[in-house]
Amino acid sequence: MYDVARRAGVSAATVSRVLNGRSTVDPSLAERVTAAMTELGYRRNTMARNLRLRASNLWAIIISDVENPFFTSMVRGVEDVASTAGYSVVLCNSDENPAKEQNYLDAAMAEKMAGVIISPSSARVDGINQLRKGRCPVVVVDRELDGLRVDTVLVDNLEGARSATDHLIEQDFQRIACITGPRWLSTAAQRLTGYTQALKAAGRVVDEQLIRYADFRKRGGHEAMASLLDSGPPPDAVFVANNLMTVGAAECLIQQGRAIPGDVALVGFDSIPWADLVFPSLTTVAQPTYEVGRAAAHMLLAGIREPDHEPQKLVLATELQVRASSVLPRR
Amino acid sequence: MYDVARRAGVSAATVSRVLNGRSTVDPSLAERVTAAMTELGYRRNTMARNLRLRASNLWAIIISDVENPFFTSMVRGVEDVASTAGYSVVLCNSDENPAKEQNYLDAAMAEKMAGVIISPSSARVDGINQLRKGRCPVVVVDRELDGLRVDTVLVDNLEGARSATDHLIEQDFQRIACITGPRWLSTAAQRLTGYTQALKAAGRVVDEQLIRYADFRKRGGHEAMASLLDSGPPPDAVFVANNLMTVGAAECLIQQGRAIPGDVALVGFDSIPWADLVFPSLTTVAQPTYEVGRAAAHMLLAGIREPDHEPQKLVLATELQVRASSVLPRR
DNA sequence: TTGTAGGCGTTATCAC
DNA sequence: GTGATAACGCCTACAA
């Protein structure tokens, strides 16, 4: 910067002012400065700047599984907004592991990140509260945490699950089962509630024997489906509360030689990139994943600008996409 | 740091030495220092440290598509190694867009990143060379660039394509087509070469009419397949040189009511997460994607330790996974 | 409007 | 082995 200043015949302060564009600089000087900068190929040192400003231009996005398409699509939404706003995004993979998650939260604190977007891997809220106390803007996505007042972006899990179940009821399936996720996860709970609400609204009985709590992973879906088939009369339709488990459940059915939807119909939650390709194509409750990312990013920007705002909560709508796995061919 | 120093009755320099553990400090002093640190909840400021050290602990990983499972799995491999070595990974999405890519390369330079792992989105090598001249360690993955001497991790595309094609030949398919990627991409070229080599080795003629150059995207695969079916006698088997195009090609066949593998058999390159689920399950040449990431990360670590080493090139093996899409049922 | 000067939190180089 | 002290490159009162 001093080199630039010397070459432009000004002080370093003026160079800084030109760089930041905040205060007014004489146009002719500014011109000389920019000229000098290009001639010297000057690039300002972000670290020094951040040190001085006591802030970084980094966002951390902490997700529980990089390989889940739901999250990657979301990340992309975040990234697009972040980069146009001048922020970089650090992707952190908590792997549904609370310890790893806490590590990343600590790191975010230590690195004085400009903001954090997190899909929590545990029900503990202290890590996040600590971050907020440290005046680091936080947006929680996908999952809701009890007793946490913080900006949040969710999808309408209740309505999504209800529409999926309604759809199965309309198709006149009689024994509609549900495979949901861990009890502490708001998404799992809400989707289960949507399922039971729809059944009750249709005058059906909710049969506890037809409900399974799994782990939101492929294997869990597989095992839950096997368990449903093993114990008592099998279901003739299943609502599976997340994408990976839907894949697992479908695999289980195929392995056991059960026809989809002939023996067991299937509706999944979360979109599956190749839902059209699998056989039969899978009916799913699609989430606006990219939009979730964008919305969270915008919320974070707002939180950075206004640190003491009231926490917002945004709920985006889902869309039931009916494909072959839930529709019996006409007889 | 000065607070810690005061509390421990030492100088800031000693605190720094304790923190870095390099030089020797009297055990009793060190004890006092660590005690003071925990009492005060001290955390060292990474920015100041980096400013002083003229280096960051950030790696950039520049990939062309976050939503392609190939890359996310790789990212995971990189991340695992990076975090145990004390580095954080910034994920950059170049979107197969050379301009975006150059942007990220510039940013990596400006931020004095500790290292860069890149899967190039263009054949231009200046950006990468410039980075290396700036003494920023670089590892190129997946794709090879002409005239670039740099650490590289690849998979054995030639052998992978050859084994896929051999497999089709063994199944006695007669008109085996190939859909490959952009000409400038080493992966596309090598996979095409593997295909032609296998044909020639089997005494077959290579028919240019059966080769298509597409864009490594789903849509490109779809269009290429349509074009193959439209012009002249259709192929009875197709080797598709990447995962997304395989999906597109399969969709095209299904839409046109052609049976897989009855009318047209299919083998894809790159694994597809749900290859088992799609109907028919897809035969693929699986790449050790996670391992590619790990290997690249280890190479980067080596490059950081030894800036002036000879560039390495590591080629990992692929594995043909035969499933239903390439095997005719016995008559 | 412009320049001067001090400091952001570390680490490295000296003396001691 | 330990402690002053000077950078690292930038921003921003404050003074001019």
Side-chain angles (χ1 to χ4, degrees):
Chain A
M1 220 164 103
Y2 279 85
D3 293 343
V4 174
R6 198 176 314 123
R7 185 166 189 125
V10 298
S11 77
T14 302
V15 176
S16 173
R17 285 192 264 262
V18 171
L19 226 39
N20 295 315
R22 276 291 166 217
S23 56
T24 15
V25 175
D26 188 289
S28 71
L29 281 197
E31 180 112 4
R32 264 154 56 197
V33 169
T34 46
M37 287 199 301
T38 51
E39 285 164 25
L40 263 45
Y42 168 79
R43 319 205 50 147
R44 93 167 133 202
N45 181 317
T46 325
M47 288 172 208
R49 176 188 166 84
N50 289 345
L51 173 61
R52 181 58 232 241
L53 296 179
R54 301 148 155 275
S56 84
N57 60 152
L58 242 44
W59 288 0
I61 171 162
I62 307 177
I63 61 179
S64 48
D65 185 1
V66 249
E67 296 190 62
N68 187 329
F70 169 78
F71 289 118
T72 56
S73 167
M74 197 186 78
V75 166
R76 202 171 174 133
V78 172
E79 198 191 29
D80 287 351
V81 174
S83 67
T84 61
Y87 293 94
S88 298
V89 177
V90 185
L91 185 65
C92 312
N93 203 33
S94 71
D95 240 343
E96 302 279 9
N97 178 340
K100 272 195 181 182
E101 175 179 282
Q102 188 57 50
N103 254 348
Y104 281 123
L105 288 172
D106 289 347
M109 199 80 178
E111 303 262 352
K112 302 210 184 342
M113 296 273 186
V116 172
I117 294 178
I118 180 172
S119 159
S121 281
S122 92
R124 302 204 52 182
V125 296
D126 4 343
I128 295 174
N129 275 330
Q130 193 187 344
L131 212 56
R132 297 202 66 208
K133 224 178 298 168
R135 306 200 64 69
C136 174
V138 179
V139 175
V140 169
V141 290
D142 186 46
R143 303 164 176 189
E144 227 166 348
L145 254 36
D146 275 354
L148 192 64
R149 293 195 62 242
V150 60
D151 282 328
T152 309
V153 180
L154 306 168
V155 301
D156 195 339
N157 292 299
L158 200 65
E159 179 53 33
R162 205 149 44 192
S163 70
T165 313
D166 278 345
H167 165 69
L168 290 172
I169 293 171
E170 281 164 19
Q171 305 289 309
D172 208 31
F173 289 106
Q174 294 306 311
R175 293 179 55 77
I176 303 175
C178 177
I179 300 176
T180 188
R183 291 166 204 265
W184 70 268
L185 259 183
S186 65
T187 45
Q190 289 168 357
R191 291 169 196 174
L192 178 61
T193 305
Y195 157 84
T196 57
Q197 282 187 2
L199 287 182
K200 286 176 188 159
R204 305 280 191 99
V205 239
V206 175
D207 182 354
E208 288 292 335
Q209 304 295 320
L210 291 178
I211 294 173
R212 291 293 182 283
Y213 296 86
D215 61 358
F216 269 176
R217 300 190 179 220
K218 182 169 142 180
R219 179 164 184 171
H222 193 115
E223 291 168 358
M225 178 60 87
S227 149
L228 280 171
L229 296 176
D230 268 3
S231 38
D236 60 356
V238 183
F239 165 57
V240 189
N242 107 321
N243 52 1
L244 301 181
M245 291 202 306
T246 308
V247 173
E251 274 188 10
C252 176
L253 288 171
I254 290 171
Q255 281 175 16
Q256 298 211 6
R258 314 255 183 167
I260 310 173
D263 295 326
V264 182
L266 223 47
V267 177
F269 209 107
D270 289 358
S271 53
I272 293 171
W274 301 308
D276 283 316
L277 239 207
V278 308
F279 178 79
S281 62
L282 289 173
T283 296
T284 57
V285 179
Q287 303 191 52
T289 50
Y290 180 82
E291 278 309 320
V292 169
R294 284 184 60 87
H298 282 302
M299 215 174 248
L300 192 57
L301 282 176
I304 289 170
R305 272 193 286 271
E306 254 185 280
D308 293 308
H309 67 301
E310 275 301 294
Q312 308 274 312
K313 180 167 136 184
L314 182 62
V315 178
L316 301 179
T318 61
E319 188 190 356
L320 178 69
Q321 299 183 333
V322 177
R323 299 196 184 81
S325 69
S326 64
V327 180
L328 288 180
R330 293 172 182 271
R331 277 161 278 206
Chain B
M1 221 164 103
Y2 279 85
D3 293 343
V4 173
R6 200 175 312 121
R7 185 163 190 127
V10 299
S11 77
T14 302
V15 176
S16 174
R17 285 193 264 262
V18 171
L19 226 39
N20 295 313
R22 276 292 163 218
S23 55
T24 11
V25 176
D26 188 290
S28 71
L29 281 197
E31 180 111 4
R32 265 153 57 198
V33 169
T34 46
M37 288 200 300
T38 51
E39 285 164 26
L40 264 44
Y42 167 80
R43 320 203 48 147
R44 91 164 136 207
N45 182 316
T46 325
M47 288 173 210
R49 177 188 165 84
N50 289 344
L51 174 61
R52 181 60 232 239
L53 261 30
R54 301 149 155 276
S56 85
N57 60 150
L58 242 43
W59 288 359
I61 171 163
I62 306 175
I63 61 179
S64 47
D65 184 2
V66 249
E67 295 190 61
N68 186 329
F70 170 78
F71 289 117
T72 57
S73 167
M74 196 187 79
V75 166
R76 199 170 179 136
V78 172
E79 198 191 28
D80 287 351
V81 174
S83 67
T84 60
Y87 292 94
S88 297
V89 176
V90 185
L91 184 65
C92 311
N93 203 31
S94 70
D95 239 343
E96 302 280 8
N97 178 338
K100 273 194 181 183
E101 174 178 283
Q102 187 58 50
N103 253 348
Y104 282 123
L105 288 172
D106 288 346
M109 199 80 179
E111 303 263 353
K112 303 211 183 340
M113 296 272 186
V116 172
I117 295 178
I118 181 172
S119 158
S121 280
S122 90
R124 303 203 50 182
V125 296
D126 3 344
I128 295 173
N129 275 330
Q130 191 187 345
L131 213 57
R132 296 204 65 208
K133 225 178 297 168
R135 308 201 62 70
C136 173
V138 179
V139 175
V140 169
V141 290
D142 187 46
R143 304 165 176 186
E144 228 166 347
L145 254 37
D146 274 354
L148 191 65
R149 293 196 60 241
V150 59
D151 281 329
T152 308
V153 179
L154 306 168
V155 301
D156 196 338
N157 292 298
L158 200 66
E159 180 54 32
R162 206 150 41 192
S163 70
T165 313
D166 279 344
H167 165 68
L168 290 172
I169 294 170
E170 281 164 20
Q171 304 291 308
D172 208 30
F173 290 106
Q174 293 307 310
R175 293 179 55 75
I176 303 174
C178 176
I179 300 177
T180 188
R183 290 167 205 266
W184 70 267
L185 260 183
S186 64
T187 46
Q190 288 167 357
R191 291 169 196 174
L192 178 61
T193 304
Y195 157 84
T196 56
Q197 282 187 1
L199 287 182
K200 285 177 189 157
R204 305 280 191 100
V205 239
V206 175
D207 182 354
E208 288 292 335
Q209 304 294 319
L210 290 178
I211 295 173
R212 293 291 182 282
Y213 296 86
D215 62 359
F216 268 176
R217 300 192 179 220
K218 182 169 140 180
R219 179 165 185 169
H222 194 114
E223 291 169 358
M225 179 60 87
S227 148
L228 280 172
L229 296 175
D230 269 3
S231 38
D236 59 357
V238 183
F239 165 57
V240 189
N242 106 322
N243 53 1
L244 301 180
M245 292 202 306
T246 308
V247 173
E251 274 188 11
C252 176
L253 288 171
I254 290 170
Q255 280 175 18
Q256 298 210 6
R258 314 256 182 165
I260 309 173
D263 295 326
V264 182
L266 224 47
V267 177
F269 209 108
D270 288 358
S271 54
I272 293 172
W274 301 307
D276 282 316
L277 241 206
V278 310
F279 177 78
S281 61
L282 291 173
T283 296
T284 57
V285 179
Q287 303 189 51
T289 50
Y290 180 82
E291 278 308 321
V292 170
R294 283 184 61 88
H298 283 302
M299 216 173 248
L300 192 57
L301 282 176
I304 289 170
R305 274 193 285 270
E306 253 185 278
D308 294 306
H309 66 300
E310 274 300 294
Q312 307 275 312
K313 180 167 135 183
L314 181 62
V315 178
L316 301 178
T318 61
E319 187 191 357
L320 179 69
Q321 299 182 333
V322 177
R323 299 196 185 82
S325 69
S326 63
V327 181
L328 287 180
R330 293 171 182 271
R331 276 158 280 202

